[in-house]
Amino acid sequence: MIATSLNSSLNSKHSDVLVRVRGTVQGVGFRPYAYRIASEMHLKGWIKNDGQGVVIRLIGLTKTIDLFIKKLVHDAPAIAHIVSVETITTPQDAIPVTPQFEIIASERSQTTADLSIPSDLAPCHHCASEIADKSNHRYGYAFINCTQCGPRYSILEEIPYDRSHTSMRAFRMCSKCQKEYNDPLNRRFHAEPNACPVCGPQLSLYSKLGEKIDTKDEIKSAAELLKSGGILAVKGIGGYHLMADAKNEKTVIELRKRKFRDHKPFAVMFADIATMREHVEISDEESDLLSSQAAPIVLCKRFLNSDLSLAVAPNNPWVGAMLPSSPLHILLLKSFGGPLIATSGNLSEEPLCKDEKEAHHRLASIADQFLDHNRAIVHPVDDSVIRISEHGPVMLRRARGYAPYGTALPAALEASYLCVGAQMKNTVALAYQDRVLTSPHIGDLGNASTQEAFRKTIGIIGGLIATPLSHVVCDLHPDYSSTHYAERLGLPVVRVQHHLAHILSCLFENHHSADRVLGVAFDGTGYGEDGTIWGGEFILLNKGRASRFAKLRTFRLPGAEAAIKDARRTALALAHICGEERFMEVAKQFGYTERNASVFDNILVSGLNSPVTSSAGRFFDGVAALLGLGDINHYEGQLPLAVEAAAMQATQCSNDVKSLIRVNAVDVSEGASYELDWEPLVEYLWNSRIKKDASTLALDVHHALAQGIVDTARIAGVDSVALSGGCFQNVLLLDITTRLLKEAGFRVLIHQEIPPGDGGIALGQALAAVWDLTRVELPT
Ligand SMILES: [Zn+2]
Ligand SMILES: [Zn+2]
C-alpha cells in the first residue's frame, strides 16, 4: 500500500521540496535509480539514506517533480518495497544544492527509526548471465553481486547498511570495482559487497583433516568429489550446507548415518526449473516462488518415476526443492551436472555452522571435504521453507530472502518493545513507534549455539533504535529460554499467552481488529492460563478482549515428553477416555502385555507424570498410531504429517463425518465455555479400521475437525474466524477448514506471509503490546 500525500502548493510553477520515502529502500539500488531519473529530468537536489529510509530534495518545475514522484513509485527496483511517500514543501535544510543532482552521505537519525534491514538475495538475472559469460571479467566468479542481489543481513555487523559495517570491509576494492561503486549510472553503484576475482573473496578447498587441497579450480575439484559419491560441506550465504549426489542411494544413506538423521527429509537443490520438473510436480505459483530471488525451499510432490534416492525423504510424498541461492551454488550445480542434497550443515538439531573453524570441527565426522571462502558470515541464516495450499503460500520457515522484515503496526507505540518469541522455531521482533521488525528464523533455543545466535540477533535489531529498550515481551511459559532471557534484562516484562500470540499474528497479517473474531489455535503445546498444556484453543476476541471460548476435549500425555515422542501412549490415553474395553483392545493391538496395560491404566487414572492437554497436534499423533500410520515422532510433526500424507491419498471422505466431533457446553471448571468432544471420532476410527483403509479414515479426521471448527464458530456468533498454530502447516486441514467456513458464510483469516507455527509468535507479541491485549480470560 502506497500513501502519497502531495501538498497543493506543488501546483505553482517552481518547487523546492523534500520527499521522504519509507520502506525497504536501502541496499536495493534505490538511490542510483532515483539519481538516474532525477538527472534525466534535469532536476536539481540530492538523495540520501537516513534512519527512516531515503530523503530526496528536489528543485525544479513543479510538474516535473510530480512526474518524478510518480515514476519513482511506479518503476522502483523490484526488490524495493515502498511503504509511503510524503512530500514536504519549503524545506529547512542546511545541505547546499549544487547544479547537478547528487547522492550524498547517509546519516543516522537519533529520534526515529525505519526498522528495516535488507535480506540476502539470490543472483539477479544480470549477474547470473555475467558469471556464465566467458568474456566477462567476473566469469565463473562465485561472489558476483550488484545492488539487486547478493548477501546483505548475513554479512551485516552494524547498521546503517554500508560496506564498512559489513564483513566485506576486509576486502579493498580494486580500481575497476571502485569505479563501478562510484558511478551513479552503474548497476553496482553503492553495491556494498561489490567484488571481483582480483579484489574480492576467494574459494578454498580443504580435506576432512583440515589440510588445504592444492587445486586451480576449487569448484571442479569439489564437483569431482560429489561425482565419486563424497559428501561436501559448502559455505554458502547464511551458513554451511552438506551436499551430496541426490541420486546416489548409497551416499544419501551414508549422509543420514553420519548426520544421525534417519528420517527427517533432506532438501534437494536443482540447477534449474526444467531439471526440477523431471522429479517433482511444480505449479506456476510454485515455479514463481522457486525462481524468485528469495530462492526458498518449496515442498513439491515427488513423481513416482523420479530417480532421486528414496532416502532423500523416506516415506514422504514431498521433496523440499530449491534452486541455487548464491553464485557459488550456481557454479557448483553446473559443474556437477545433477541434483544435489542441500541439507543444513549441522549435526541433528544443532544450529547451522557459520565459520570455517567451527565447521571443520563440528562437521569433521560428516564431510569428506570443505568448500570454504573467506567472506565472514556475521549472522547465520537458514533457508526459507514454503508450501502451497489452495489458498496461497504457507510459510513454514521465514528466513533467507524474506527476513529480517519490517512492517507497519496498526497504531504507534509510545515505548520500544523487544519481543523474544517462543522456545521452538524462535524469532524475535522489535516494535517501535509504528513499525515492527521481525528477525529470520533462529531455531530451537534448547542449545547454547542457538542461544548465542538469539542474543546476537537481539544485538543487531536492538541497534536499530537510538534509545535504550523500554519493555520486553515474552511467552507466558515460565521455562522457555526466551522467558528467562527476558526476565534477566531488568526491564518491565509483558507476558503474552502463547495461543493468543498465534491468533494476534494472524489478525496482524490480515489487518483485522480484535472484534467479533474467533481465533482457532491448533498446535503442539503451549502454556495455558490455568497452568495446563493448551493446544486446541478457540479464543474469542470481542471489543479488544480475549476469552477462552472453547477447547478440544482434554486428555493425558502418559509420561509427558515420552508421549510426545511415542504416539502409542497418546493413542492409549485417547482410548482410555472411550472406556476400559476400548483401552484394553488398543493396548493389545500395540502389543502391550496385560501387565504393561495395567501400569498405563494406573498412570492414566492417577495422572502420575501425565499432564492434561487439549493439544490438537498431540491428538493427531494419537490418531496416527490408531490408524497404524506410525508410532514414533523422530522429528517434530512427523506423525501429524503422516496423517496428512495418508489423507491426500484418499479419493473422498466417508458420508457421515459431520457428527463425529460434538460441541458441548461445559462447566466453567473446565476452563472454557464449550468443548469439542472427539470421543465419537476415535470410536468411529477404531470400529472402521477393518472396513475402511487408513487413508479414507485419515481424510475423515480432517473433515471431522474442520466441521467441529465450523460448528464452534456458529455457536460463537462471530463474523470472522482466524486459523493459526503449527497444525495449520497441514495444508489439507487448512484447505478443508477454510472451504467449510466460507461455505458457512464466515470470513476466514489465514496466514500467508507469517508462519502459522511458533515462528510467528514474536510478531503476535508485538501486536499484543500495541493493543495491550496479552492474556486470555477464563469463564467464571
Ligand atoms: Zn545482481
Ligand atoms: Zn575488483
Side-chain angles (χ1 to χ4, degrees):
M1 194 182 66
I2 296 160
T4 313
S5 58
L6 293 174
N7 193 296
S8 58
S9 65
L10 273 179
N11 295 329
S12 60
K13 231 178 168 194
H14 268 83
S15 290
D16 180 355
V17 298
L18 268 189
V19 181
R20 157 156 302 291
V21 186
R22 304 217 302 168
T24 307
V25 287
Q26 292 186 14
V28 294
F30 199 82
R31 285 174 305 164
Y33 155 72
Y35 173 92
R36 271 195 300 275
I37 37 177
S39 306
E40 277 164 24
M41 292 181 171
H42 305 290
L43 287 165
K44 281 199 287 186
W46 45 255
I47 180 168
K48 66 175 181 183
N49 281 345
D50 74 353
Q52 296 181 64
V54 300
V55 191
I56 310 167
R57 173 96 179 258
L58 294 165
I59 300 167
L61 280 175
T62 307
K63 60 178 184 188
T64 315
I65 291 175
D66 213 358
L67 204 67
F68 171 91
I69 294 168
K70 273 192 191 132
K71 202 168 159 58
L72 187 80
V73 172
H74 192 259
D75 301 334
I79 58 174
H81 175 70
I82 298 173
V83 173
S84 66
V85 180
E86 273 171 88
T87 307
I88 307 147
T89 49
T90 52
Q92 302 287 312
D93 205 302
I95 301 167
V97 175
T98 60
Q100 303 287 313
F101 192 84
E102 279 184 307
I103 296 175
I104 59 177
S106 28
E107 71 181 41
R108 253 189 98 185
S109 158
Q110 293 302 302
T111 51
T112 50
D114 174 54
L115 301 198
S116 113
I117 298 178
S119 58
D120 305 274
L121 295 175
C124 69
H125 66 274
H126 288 293
C127 288
S129 59
E130 278 185 8
I131 44 167
D133 174 6
K134 281 192 176 142
S135 66
N136 191 287
H137 82 292
R138 289 190 178 88
Y139 171 68
Y141 183 53
F143 304 94
I144 189 169
N145 68 79
C146 71
T147 50
Q148 299 302 296
C149 68
R152 301 283 189 270
Y153 174 68
S154 66
I155 58 167
L156 189 62
E157 289 164 341
E158 56 177 308
I159 47 131
Y161 173 65
D162 278 327
R163 188 177 178 102
S164 60
H165 292 160
T166 71
S167 56
M168 280 304 291
R169 70 192 162 87
F171 302 91
R172 200 195 163 95
M173 276 185 274
C174 67
S175 58
K176 220 165 170 178
C177 285
Q178 189 70 54
K179 213 174 145 208
E180 293 171 330
Y181 185 90
N182 292 346
D183 176 5
L185 296 176
N186 192 289
R187 72 184 172 84
R188 294 198 167 91
F189 175 71
H190 276 264
E192 307 301 345
N194 189 27
C196 78
V198 174
C199 64
Q202 301 295 333
L203 291 171
S204 47
L205 194 63
Y206 288 89
S207 75
K208 68 187 305 170
L209 299 172
E211 289 152 345
K212 195 162 183 203
I213 296 170
D214 192 22
T215 171
K216 279 207 172 64
D217 189 337
E218 288 82 6
I219 301 263
K220 199 172 152 210
S221 302
E224 272 156 21
L225 172 85
L226 292 166
K227 282 177 196 161
S228 69
I231 295 168
L232 181 71
V234 182
K235 186 178 178 186
I237 293 283
Y240 276 79
H241 276 127
L242 287 160
M243 306 195 82
D245 183 352
K247 293 184 183 179
N248 187 331
E249 184 86 353
K250 217 177 118 203
T251 301
V252 181
I253 290 171
E254 180 63 25
L255 176 57
R256 289 206 170 275
K257 224 167 72 194
R258 292 192 200 169
K259 220 180 166 227
F260 297 109
R261 181 156 146 174
D262 295 333
H263 302 269
K264 203 174 176 182
F266 288 148
V268 181
M269 192 182 278
F270 298 85
D272 47 50
I273 289 280
T275 321
M276 208 184 266
R277 282 195 200 279
E278 293 167 17
H279 301 277
V280 294
E281 204 179 302
I282 306 166
S283 66
D284 290 346
E285 196 179 357
E286 285 161 340
S287 169
D288 289 349
L289 263 177
L290 286 157
S291 320
S292 72
Q293 279 188 264
I297 295 172
V298 179
L299 301 195
C300 300
K301 252 205 195 123
R302 179 196 175 116
F303 289 133
L304 290 175
N305 63 358
S306 155
D307 61 351
L308 292 178
S309 157
L310 286 172
V312 163
N315 304 316
N316 194 318
W318 297 281
V319 170
M322 70 190 299
L323 291 175
S325 52
S326 77
L328 171 57
H329 291 110
I330 293 182
L331 297 169
L332 188 61
L333 266 285
K334 193 176 169 205
S335 184
F336 173 72
L340 286 171
I341 301 277
T343 184
S344 47
N346 56 8
L347 288 164
S348 245
E349 305 310 322
E350 282 188 358
L352 234 52
C353 291
K354 64 177 176 41
D355 68 44
E356 294 90 283
K357 213 174 124 201
E358 188 189 358
H360 288 202
H361 175 68
R362 277 170 51 194
L363 305 179
S365 57
I366 308 178
D368 296 310
Q369 284 179 14
F370 292 85
L371 183 55
D372 290 342
H373 61 71
N374 56 348
R375 185 179 67 203
I377 296 169
V378 180
H379 299 282
V381 195
D382 274 287
D383 296 319
S384 295
V385 187
I386 303 178
R387 299 183 73 175
I388 298 288
S389 75
E390 247 175 51
H391 302 92
V394 180
M395 190 69 75
L396 304 187
R397 183 163 75 202
R398 189 165 176 135
R400 183 183 43 72
Y402 294 102
Y405 58 110
T407 16
L409 288 166
L413 285 161
E414 301 266 310
S416 56
Y417 291 77
L418 171 69
C419 310
V420 293
Q423 173 79 7
M424 309 281 279
K425 300 187 163 80
N426 178 274
T427 56
V428 295
L430 176 71
Y432 181 57
Q433 296 180 347
D434 61 345
R435 300 280 292 164
V436 56
L437 182 98
T438 309
S439 79
H441 166 94
I442 297 169
D444 299 347
L445 298 179
N447 66 64
S449 329
T450 323
Q451 285 180 20
E452 193 203 320
F454 168 82
R455 285 189 294 268
K456 217 168 166 185
T457 309
I458 290 174
I460 193 147
I461 68 167
L464 285 166
I465 53 171
T467 52
L469 288 164
S470 58
H471 294 74
V472 58
V473 191
C474 66
D475 197 276
L476 191 57
H477 201 301
D479 293 326
Y480 279 178
S481 308
S482 47
T483 305
H484 291 163
Y485 176 88
E487 286 165 347
R488 285 195 303 267
L489 285 183
L491 297 173
V493 179
V494 180
R495 292 168 209 272
V496 184
Q497 200 279 322
H498 188 87
H499 301 97
L500 177 60
H502 272 304
I503 300 306
L504 292 177
S505 72
C506 188
L507 298 187
F508 181 95
E509 176 164 4
N510 289 280
H511 309 287
H512 198 288
S513 69
D515 196 33
R516 296 187 63 78
V517 57
L518 183 67
V520 183
F522 274 15
D523 75 349
T525 56
Y527 194 81
E529 293 284 355
D530 55 2
T532 68
I533 302 170
W534 287 12
E537 307 311 315
F538 295 76
I539 297 170
L540 183 63
L541 292 133
N542 236 348
K543 301 194 173 89
R545 297 177 71 147
S547 61
R548 196 187 195 201
F549 182 72
K551 62 170 181 176
L552 214 55
R553 183 173 176 182
T554 53
F555 50 94
R556 287 191 182 278
L557 293 171
E561 285 297 316
I564 294 176
K565 193 161 176 71
D566 185 346
R568 286 170 299 191
R569 288 168 174 258
T570 308
L572 279 175
L574 300 179
H576 200 264
I577 283 172
C578 301
E580 190 66 23
E581 190 193 340
R582 194 65 69 235
F583 172 76
M584 289 312 289
E585 282 173 3
V586 173
K588 200 173 154 204
Q589 166 98 356
F590 290 152
Y592 287 93
T593 61
E594 230 165 89
R595 207 186 124 90
N596 273 343
S598 107
V599 171
F600 267 106
D601 185 34
N602 282 335
I603 289 175
L604 287 165
V605 172
S606 68
L608 181 75
N609 190 28
S610 302
V612 165
T613 186
S614 52
S615 165
R618 301 287 76 85
F619 180 77
F620 266 98
D621 284 350
V623 165
L626 281 174
L627 295 180
L629 296 169
D631 296 336
I632 307 290
N633 272 316
H634 293 99
Y635 57 91
E636 201 211 341
Q638 182 181 1
L639 293 176
L641 196 74
V643 179
E644 182 192 0
M648 281 186 168
Q649 305 297 317
T651 40
Q652 68 182 93
C653 73
S654 306
N655 283 331
D656 201 18
V657 295
K658 283 203 167 173
S659 54
L660 293 178
I661 295 223
R662 289 194 211 114
V663 187
N664 301 323
V666 287
D667 187 77
V668 291
S669 64
E670 286 288 332
S673 305
Y674 289 85
E675 174 182 89
L676 280 77
D677 182 9
W678 38 259
E679 189 182 326
L681 173 63
V682 170
E683 278 290 301
Y684 161 81
L685 296 178
W686 184 253
N687 293 326
S688 314
R689 72 192 189 285
I690 313 285
K691 285 170 278 175
K692 295 183 179 180
D693 56 39
S695 56
T696 305
L697 294 176
L699 184 58
D700 291 346
V701 171
H702 285 76
H703 275 272
L705 280 170
Q707 188 61 48
I709 291 171
V710 176
D711 294 343
T712 312
R714 279 208 184 99
I715 298 170
V718 289
D719 305 321
S720 308
V721 180
L723 306 177
S724 190
C727 291
F728 288 104
Q729 297 177 95
N730 174 334
V731 298
L732 190 64
L733 182 67
L734 178 69
D735 286 340
I736 296 171
T737 308
T738 305
R739 220 182 301 143
L740 293 186
L741 281 168
K742 281 187 175 166
E743 280 166 19
F746 293 100
R747 181 178 167 207
V748 190
L749 316 175
I750 59 169
H751 287 285
Q752 292 201 336
E753 302 205 337
I754 299 165
D758 284 3
I761 291 288
L763 199 48
Q765 290 174 344
L767 190 59
V770 175
W771 284 347
D772 189 19
L773 174 60
T774 58
R775 304 297 291 268
V776 181
E777 295 164 23
L778 298 179
T780 47

